[in-house]
Amino acid sequence: MSEAEGKFLDALYQGVSDSSQLTLALELIQNMFGCRSAVLVMVDARDPTANFVETSGTLLQSLQLYVEKYAQIDPAPARFLSLPAGRAMSTDRLFTPEERATGQFYNEFFKPIGLIETLGGPLYSSDGNFAMIALMRGDDRPPFDDREAAYLEQLMPHITRALQLRRTFFRIDSRNVGLQATLDRLQAGLMLLAADGEVLFVNAAMHALTQQSDGFVLGRMGKPLVTHTDARRRFDALLINVAGGGAGGVVAVPRARGRDYAVLVAPSPASSAQSDWERGGPRGAIVVVHDPDSGSANTSEILEQGLGLSKGAARLVAALAADHDLKTFAESEGVTIHTARFHLRSALSRTGAKTQAEVVRIAVRLLRDFALAEPNPVSST
């Protein structure tokens, strides 16, 4: 393996997760063949977000013109894709001299930007998914020969594998981004710790809690720390318990302003990719922090739509689910206690509940499913 080939392969496989390295790889292979331009195309019919075109050299400088005016009449891609996967051939062999002499694309675009011939081929092609690579020379070097076509064919399996890995990587990355966005919408603070205590993920709500510096602060390496001494000991003991295979537990974390946080420490699920001995080792932990004083602007709307309540009844049930009673609801809403009782009767009728406690339990289950709140059901009737 030559030094140039080694650099190309190194950049190519780094390009699985780093787009700048993939660009570098294309520039390196262009130089290896003494060409003026190169292009790498991947189309995924099932996932259009995975589609991309990477270009370098002369074609990159004229890419906008190509896309806007000449891409639809470029005959080369269809000819290349008619070849068996992994086969490379030059346009001097794919097209007759007459086709090249009279071709609109060749004479109006390709030749005027200084390009003469292309060497390329399909990396794979099936079910609407395909990828291809093409190298374009100018008149400053001789025509492509059989030796160069064979050499490109030796490199094509590497390029194919890198693109397959890249597609898989970005699909996984896309799912992770979606999952993170979902967790960031949770009202509860959430933290995921590795078995060695390393912070793997902290959602937006947990970041907001630490910024208040009331009950939690942000420690070294971005790890939220409990400020209250006794609560911190209990919290650390639960983490040790989880690491040793225990079930964890709940700890109350006092704060200066507001009611105590309720903190759940539980073992994180073992990965299906882990071996048996890895599953038996130390476990990571999931930490969930509930703020009993937090509210959601969407709570009454969710109850209104989800349970078919009137606006007034929905606001009442939301208040009851947040541990208020009819009197405090009436005072906060500026209505009479009779109006509050009317809303309660309406909520009981719409939900089929027999008691106030039952309608609150129904609301709590709905809100938990929507991850909007974890209120404590009241026991009054």
Side-chain angles (χ1 to χ4, degrees):
M1 180 189 300
S2 67
E3 181 180 356
E5 182 179 329
K7 290 181 178 180
F8 162 70
L9 293 176
D10 183 56
L12 177 67
Y13 283 108
Q14 288 189 54
V16 168
S17 58
D18 186 341
S19 296
S20 65
Q21 287 296 309
L22 189 63
T23 301
L24 175 60
L26 199 62
E27 294 171 352
L28 290 172
I29 195 172
Q30 172 190 320
N31 295 334
M32 287 165 60
F33 282 80
C35 292
R36 289 187 178 180
S37 192
V39 61
L40 186 61
V41 179
M42 184 173 77
V43 173
D44 189 329
R46 291 170 296 182
D47 183 11
T49 62
N51 298 349
F52 79 93
V53 177
E54 187 71 47
T55 57
S56 64
T58 301
L59 184 59
L60 178 60
Q61 300 167 12
S62 303
L63 186 59
Q64 184 173 352
L65 176 62
Y66 173 82
V67 171
E68 292 178 352
K69 190 173 181 180
Y70 292 101
Q72 299 300 319
I73 63 171
D74 183 359
R79 291 288 179 94
F80 282 129
L81 291 173
S82 68
L83 298 172
R87 177 75 185 278
M89 188 175 291
S90 70
T91 49
D92 279 4
R93 295 193 176 187
L94 283 171
F95 296 91
T96 66
E98 291 75 19
E99 287 176 316
R100 297 197 302 273
T102 60
Q104 181 183 357
F105 174 81
Y106 182 79
N107 289 286
E108 291 186 10
F109 176 79
F110 201 67
K111 192 173 180 180
I113 66 173
L115 301 177
I116 302 296
E117 183 187 15
T118 300
L119 174 66
L123 300 166
Y124 58 81
S125 179
S126 64
D127 300 326
N129 304 319
F130 68 85
M132 60 172 289
I133 185 166
L135 305 169
M136 286 142 276
R137 72 173 182 90
D139 57 7
D140 54 341
R141 56 143 291 166
F144 295 113
D145 55 30
D146 291 341
R147 178 185 60 82
E148 289 176 307
Y151 184 37
L152 181 58
E153 289 175 357
Q154 292 177 18
L155 297 175
M156 288 169 75
H158 290 286
I159 303 171
T160 300
R161 182 59 177 157
L163 291 183
Q164 291 171 339
L165 290 171
R166 179 180 171 85
R167 181 171 57 184
T168 300
F169 172 83
F170 278 101
R171 281 179 177 170
I172 293 173
D173 187 59
S174 177
R175 285 196 293 267
N176 288 342
V177 169
L179 176 59
Q180 179 174 330
T182 300
L183 295 177
D184 277 338
R185 293 186 63 183
L186 295 179
Q187 186 172 337
L190 185 142
M191 176 171 57
L192 180 62
L193 302 176
D196 61 0
E198 178 188 358
V199 178
L200 301 178
F201 176 77
V202 177
N203 75 345
M206 193 70 212
H207 277 298
L209 290 178
T210 60
Q211 289 173 358
Q212 296 175 19
S213 298
D214 188 8
F216 288 92
V217 293
L218 201 61
R220 292 181 0 177
M221 308 300 292
K223 181 179 180 179
L225 300 176
V226 177
T227 56
H228 189 275
T229 303
D230 290 339
R232 183 169 64 250
R233 291 195 186 106
R234 170 66 175 158
F235 179 77
D236 292 343
L238 289 175
L239 290 177
I240 294 172
N241 174 264
V242 166
V250 177
V251 56
V253 174
R255 52 178 169 164
R257 300 178 298 276
R259 291 178 289 177
D260 295 355
Y261 291 121
V263 181
L264 169 69
V265 180
S268 60
S271 169
S272 60
Q274 289 177 314
S275 63
D276 290 338
W277 68 268
E278 286 174 318
R279 290 194 187 99
R283 297 285 295 276
I286 294 176
V287 177
V288 181
V289 180
H290 169 60
D291 181 358
D293 292 333
S294 66
S296 172
N298 296 323
T299 298
S300 62
E301 181 180 348
I302 292 296
L303 294 175
E304 179 185 350
Q305 299 297 324
L307 299 180
L309 304 178
S310 66
K311 291 185 181 297
R315 288 197 298 271
L316 170 66
V317 174
L320 295 176
D323 213 12
H324 296 284
D325 56 25
L326 293 178
K327 182 180 179 182
T328 58
F329 168 78
E331 291 173 349
S332 65
E333 293 286 317
V335 298
T336 67
I337 191 68
H338 300 291
T339 300
R341 287 172 180 159
F342 171 79
H343 289 322
L344 176 60
R345 288 194 297 272
S346 174
L348 293 172
S349 175
R350 292 294 183 91
T351 60
K354 302 299 183 184
T355 65
Q356 177 177 315
E358 186 179 352
V359 77
V360 169
R361 282 194 293 270
I362 293 171
V364 166
R365 286 195 296 268
L366 177 61
L367 295 177
R368 282 176 175 166
D369 285 344
F370 277 78
L372 289 174
E374 293 185 47
N376 296 316
V378 295
S379 58
S380 58
T381 58

